[in-house]
Amino acid sequence: MATSHDASDGTGWRFFPYDEPYPNQTEAMSRIADALDEGRNVLFEGAPGTGKTLSALVPALEHARAEDKTVVITTNVHQQMRQFVADARAITREEPIRAVVFKGKGSMCHIDVDYRECQTLRDTTRDLVEKREELAELERREQALLDDLREGEDGAADARQAVMDELDTLESELAEFESGNVCDHYRANLTRDTDAFFSWLFDDVRTPEEIYDYADREGFCGYELLKEGMEGIDLVVCNYHHLLDPLIREQFFRWLGRDPSEVITVFDEAHNVESAARDHATRTLTENTLASALSELDEVDDSRAAATENVLGAFNEALREAYDEALAFGEREQVGEDWYDLSIANPDRRDDLTLRFLDAYEGRGISTELDLAVQLGTALDEEYEDAYKRGETTSRRESQVQSAAAFVSAWMDEGGELGQHPMLSVRRDAGTDDLYGRAELYTCIPREVTAGLFEEVSATVLMSATLRPFDVTRDVLGLDDPETMAYGLAYPEANRRTLAVDVPPLFSSERSNPETQQVVADTLSQALRFTPGNALVFFPSYAEAERYYERLRGDPGVGTELWLDGSDVDTERIRKEFVASDDGALFTSLWGTLAEGVSFDGDDARTVAVVGVPYPHLSERMEAVQDAYDRAYPGKEAGWRYGVEIPTIRKTRQALGRVIRSPDDFGVRLLLDRRYTRESRDMGRYGVRGSFPTEERTEFVDVASGKVQFSMLNFFTDHDAYDGDPPRP
């Protein structure tokens, strides 16, 4: 890529759209460019103000232009998707690129059908259009042969008769297609001139919403046009789903017209890739799906049906028996409409569901009958697709036999493997009040999903404000010798104050202590009173947020309007009300949607407080993850470090990063728990101060709970932040 830094804009980067880079941005771009030239992956941590997106995107585009590749940049955060579009538009105004923003079919469909039904409609519509074109061509040939016949040419009569026979056959086929199901929007794509659409599409960087509106107005299918226009483009913006799901990724690269080795992937908010990969790989089967599969077999006349009913019926029976046995006395009454996990795993043998399945099953052999069930499910699904194409059904039916058989086969083959944890859950049916169960293969080690992706593409850049420690990210995602770089907050240190407040460590056993609650409430009261503007307060859970919201909302000394977020609350509405205020406090959970991917710039929030250490909820899933990491990475205490400690610190760092978003911004960041202070050195692995990057923890100022008001008063007075006289301690 030696010729790619020859731009005349002064930066040396052809695709850099602005006059001046951020501090360290030029260095970051150069290091990423070198890594891409070498085919190496990159782990890139950059605090706000380091220009992460362009630092990765610019060298990736320059390398791709020089080597004839495509860049795919992806995120799971909507706000970042909008930022990608803005950056891509800025780039294309300086150096034209062909870029598309891609979303799933569900958000772009004009007739509201699911993916499978859409596929079938697309195929039948294409077949219909092709047969119409073939009919028109045969009619032209028949007319030409008729002219030849009139002119007395030898053989014209026989040739014309052969064509007319073909016409009769084709017209019969067309009559069948005409009565079938088609998509008029996709038919317009195939039969009308779409040049104007593609000229419009690549005249700028268009959002999926803009594409939908254009296509809807013109009667096209925007989703299919977008797919058609993706071949060989420079840049695609998409969400994680298109890269982390192996089957979708294969299709996605095919639409690009690229071999995986011709694709550079860039992941933003990459600290989320671990959990996203885990979610994509996890498989489930509900008791309702099993019941539907068994009912489906009642309609089937096939020699494989008896074996299928035998093996699926035994698994269904075992599923019910397993959750009946796992539910303790009185526990059944606690189950609501959310999934309620039950433990079935065993340390020294297969899980209880599998053991009950083996006991309940009687037949020619589980493996043999499962193979027959999978074959039958596939055949039934193909039969349903053909019926829909022919117009015999108004919707595209899916085979529940296929889904159930595939899951049970995977359960038996993979349920005992490292990194796969068998789970059983129950929930209450809102209509009948009955319980029903769900079997789940929970994926504990995400590298099983991500390692293959990183191996097959040209190179990957993973970027986030919270990727460190890099050795953990490397192991968890399965990266081989990545280039690593980290750039801290480039804004003036004098504009921020990070206080580690010595309140009692908020272990779960301590949170109900009235004296501890009073200390925390008094400290928060000080923080809110001495904040000249809005404050964000994060807790380990919504329940803890509600606890202190209730304690403080009646405190006349707070003098601040309070908002409470929750799992059943319209968070976006509350966020908008909060930022419209100039003296409010928002109480929420660190595990909610406001702790990352949302900026609170300037007066939107002057103080952010993290109350406690937000360890993830202790559950069997978390224990399974820890056990899998310990076994996969022996001798590293990986279960605790990879599975608990580092994700917790990343959550905390993400929350602290919600404020101080520009060079002129200023604010106070509070960590309320002794485990953040220097005293935590005597707490063993529960002391978390040492888990923060060195340059961040050196800014921590330990302060007694009663002294928070003085520290905040001094800081905000230095910044002339108070409107009038400051509050008095």
Side-chain angles (χ1 to χ4, degrees):
M1 204 175 68
T3 62
S4 64
H5 309 300
D6 57 0
S8 58
D9 61 2
T11 66
W13 296 89
R14 178 188 309 155
F15 292 97
F16 192 81
Y18 305 116
D19 292 335
E20 292 292 334
Y22 287 109
N24 300 317
Q25 194 168 28
T26 299
E27 178 187 326
M29 289 191 291
S30 294
R31 293 180 63 185
I32 291 172
D34 290 342
L36 296 179
D37 285 345
E38 297 167 5
R40 294 180 66 194
N41 298 315
V42 178
L43 295 178
F44 173 28
E45 179 175 299
T50 54
K52 290 188 297 294
T53 300
L54 287 176
S55 295
L57 193 52
V58 167
L61 284 171
E62 302 219 6
H63 179 89
R65 178 67 61 87
E67 302 294 334
D68 189 23
K69 296 177 181 178
T70 293
V71 178
V72 178
I73 188 166
T74 179
T75 184
N76 66 337
V77 177
H78 293 301
Q79 181 168 304
Q80 279 305 110
M81 187 79 77
R82 292 192 291 270
Q83 184 60 49
F84 289 167
V85 173
D87 286 335
R89 283 174 171 167
I91 289 171
T92 199
R93 283 163 177 71
E94 295 295 319
E95 180 75 21
I97 60 172
R98 297 170 70 241
V100 299
V101 184
F102 197 78
K103 266 190 176 181
K105 192 210 73 67
S107 62
M108 296 186 69
C109 183
H110 303 271
I111 58 175
D112 196 25
V113 297
D114 63 26
Y115 186 77
R116 296 288 297 278
E117 190 165 342
C118 172
Q119 284 183 306
T120 305
L121 282 173
R122 184 190 61 209
D123 292 345
T124 55
T125 303
R126 185 189 297 110
D127 288 345
L128 174 63
V129 169
E130 288 175 352
K131 286 189 179 297
R132 282 187 172 279
E133 291 173 349
E134 187 180 347
L135 179 69
E137 175 60 27
L138 285 173
E139 287 174 340
R140 285 192 293 271
R141 286 175 56 194
E142 187 271 334
Q143 185 61 49
L145 288 168
L146 179 60
D147 292 342
D148 292 344
L149 181 62
R150 287 170 177 165
E151 293 176 6
E153 290 195 17
D154 293 340
D158 291 341
R160 178 172 179 267
Q161 185 59 51
V163 169
M164 292 179 67
D165 290 343
E166 285 187 61
L167 276 169
D168 289 342
T169 302
L170 188 56
E171 285 172 347
S172 298
E173 292 176 1
L174 260 176
E176 184 177 319
F177 271 93
E178 294 283 6
S179 63
N181 293 295
V182 296
C183 173
D184 291 333
H185 288 268
Y186 184 55
R187 175 156 53 185
N189 289 12
L190 299 174
T191 57
R192 290 170 48 197
D193 187 354
T194 57
D195 288 348
F197 169 83
F198 288 111
S199 295
W200 169 84
L201 177 67
F202 293 119
D203 187 51
D204 201 345
V205 180
R206 309 296 184 180
T207 66
E209 292 76 20
E210 290 171 332
I211 293 168
Y212 177 91
D213 290 342
Y214 183 109
D216 197 59
R217 186 172 61 250
E218 299 295 329
F220 292 125
C221 173
Y223 177 77
E224 290 295 332
L225 283 176
L226 194 58
K227 283 168 49 180
E228 183 182 338
M230 286 171 61
E231 185 169 350
I233 61 173
D234 300 300
L235 175 66
V236 184
V237 179
C238 66
N239 60 37
Y240 284 178
H241 184 61
H242 295 97
L243 293 180
L244 294 181
D245 186 300
L247 295 178
I248 293 176
R249 182 169 74 241
E250 182 181 353
Q251 284 186 326
F252 191 60
F253 288 170
R254 188 163 61 246
W255 298 335
L256 290 175
R258 295 293 193 186
D259 185 82
S261 63
E262 299 171 325
V263 176
I264 301 165
T265 55
V266 180
F267 282 83
D268 190 39
E269 303 293 346
H271 60 280
N272 289 321
V273 172
E274 175 184 357
S275 59
R278 191 175 284 129
D279 291 343
H280 272 85
T282 294
R283 291 158 288 180
T284 61
L285 175 66
T286 68
E287 187 177 350
N288 290 352
T289 300
L290 276 166
S292 297
L294 292 169
S295 297
E296 183 181 350
L297 290 171
D298 292 339
E299 312 165 14
V300 174
D301 182 17
D302 189 288
S303 60
R304 296 165 290 191
T308 302
E309 183 175 10
N310 187 48
V311 72
L312 295 185
F315 194 84
N316 192 40
E317 178 185 343
L319 179 64
R320 286 197 301 268
E321 291 179 353
Y323 70 70
D324 282 338
E325 179 67 24
L327 285 164
F329 178 75
E331 196 173 13
R332 180 178 291 268
E333 289 68 33
Q334 300 175 26
V335 178
E337 294 181 16
D338 295 327
W339 286 111
Y340 184 92
D341 288 344
L342 301 168
S343 179
I344 58 170
N346 296 304
D348 55 353
R349 61 189 188 282
R350 288 296 296 264
D351 59 276
D352 292 343
L353 172 54
T354 300
L355 296 177
R356 287 188 173 276
F357 178 40
L358 295 173
D359 286 342
Y361 174 78
E362 295 179 358
R364 291 181 287 170
I366 289 177
S367 179
T368 298
E369 293 199 334
L370 277 176
D371 286 345
L372 292 172
V374 169
Q375 293 172 20
L376 177 59
T378 301
L380 289 172
D381 202 64
E382 292 172 353
E383 180 182 316
Y384 300 152
E385 179 162 350
D386 289 341
Y388 182 62
K389 286 180 178 180
R390 294 191 297 268
E392 296 171 7
T393 57
T394 57
S395 61
R396 203 285 192 189
R397 183 179 179 183
E398 294 191 22
S399 173
Q400 303 305 310
V401 170
Q402 183 184 46
S403 299
F407 178 86
V408 177
S409 182
W411 180 277
M412 296 305 295
D413 291 343
E414 303 171 29
E417 294 180 358
L418 173 63
Q420 295 293 322
H421 186 75
M423 293 286 299
L424 181 60
S425 308
V426 290
R427 70 187 300 185
R428 194 170 299 279
D429 188 295
T432 65
D433 204 41
D434 295 332
L435 297 190
Y436 66 99
R438 178 185 71 178
E440 175 182 352
L441 272 179
Y442 181 65
T443 298
C444 300
I445 302 179
R447 73 178 183 192
E448 296 173 5
V449 177
T450 56
L453 164 65
F454 300 144
E455 287 173 3
E456 69 179 16
V457 298
S458 173
T460 295
V461 181
L462 296 116
M463 58 185 183
S464 167
T466 57
L467 270 187
R468 288 181 286 178
F470 291 133
D471 64 314
V472 174
T473 305
R474 180 196 64 214
D475 286 351
V476 166
L477 299 182
L479 293 159
D480 183 26
D481 189 31
E483 173 74 11
T484 61
M485 59 188 74
Y487 298 96
L489 201 61
Y491 305 145
E493 188 175 339
N495 285 2
R496 60 187 181 271
R497 184 69 49 82
T498 307
L499 304 178
V501 185
D502 187 16
V503 303
L506 297 173
F507 296 111
S508 58
S509 59
E510 185 67 22
R511 292 175 192 162
S512 299
N513 185 321
E515 294 180 0
T516 298
Q517 290 181 19
Q518 190 62 53
V519 171
V520 173
D522 288 346
T523 305
L524 288 175
S525 179
Q526 294 176 52
L528 301 186
R529 184 165 170 251
F530 283 85
T531 296
N534 288 347
L536 282 165
V537 190
F538 291 100
F539 296 86
S541 67
Y542 286 122
E544 286 294 292
E546 184 175 9
R547 183 204 299 274
Y548 288 97
Y549 170 83
E550 294 295 340
R551 288 187 69 108
L552 289 173
R553 70 171 177 164
D555 183 348
V558 172
T560 295
E561 186 176 3
L562 306 184
W563 281 267
L564 177 65
D565 188 20
S567 58
D568 56 351
V569 171
D570 184 347
T571 298
E572 181 58 17
R573 176 184 61 80
I574 285 181
R575 186 197 66 80
K576 289 179 179 179
E577 292 177 3
F578 169 69
V579 298
S581 168
D582 59 4
D583 188 21
L586 174 55
F587 289 56
T588 186
S589 168
L590 270 155
W591 298 95
T593 59
L594 295 177
E596 59 179 272
V598 182
S599 296
F600 293 86
D601 303 328
D603 292 332
D604 288 352
R606 287 293 176 202
T607 294
V608 59
V610 174
V611 181
V613 178
Y615 289 124
H617 175 65
L618 184 62
S619 65
E620 182 174 344
R621 295 169 196 272
M622 181 52 57
E623 291 176 354
V625 168
Q626 291 184 66
D627 178 66
Y629 280 149
D630 277 334
R631 293 165 61 194
Y633 308 103
K636 294 186 176 184
E637 292 191 2
W640 172 261
R641 187 165 181 250
Y642 293 15
V644 179
E645 180 185 44
I646 299 307
T648 298
I649 297 304
R650 284 178 176 153
K651 270 291 176 187
T652 305
R653 295 176 66 207
Q654 282 287 328
L656 294 180
R658 294 315 90 208
V659 298
I660 312 175
R661 309 289 297 185
S662 69
D664 298 326
D665 207 353
F666 59 91
V668 171
R669 305 182 296 189
L670 300 170
L671 296 165
L672 276 68
D673 195 299
R674 187 168 297 147
R675 288 171 286 181
Y676 295 113
T677 70
R678 287 189 178 87
E679 288 190 39
S680 67
R681 289 176 294 190
D682 300 326
M683 293 182 174
R685 70 179 185 177
Y686 295 107
V688 298
R689 186 186 185 107
S691 299
F692 287 81
T694 302
E695 76 277 7
E696 293 182 14
R697 65 175 180 264
T698 54
E699 292 188 17
F700 290 6
V701 178
D702 287 3
V703 60
S705 59
K707 302 296 184 181
V708 167
Q709 56 188 332
F710 300 105
S711 295
M712 295 184 68
L713 175 63
N714 292 338
F715 176 83
F716 285 120
T717 299
D718 289 344
H719 285 81
D720 296 322
Y722 294 112
D723 185 11
D725 293 334
R728 298 179 62 184

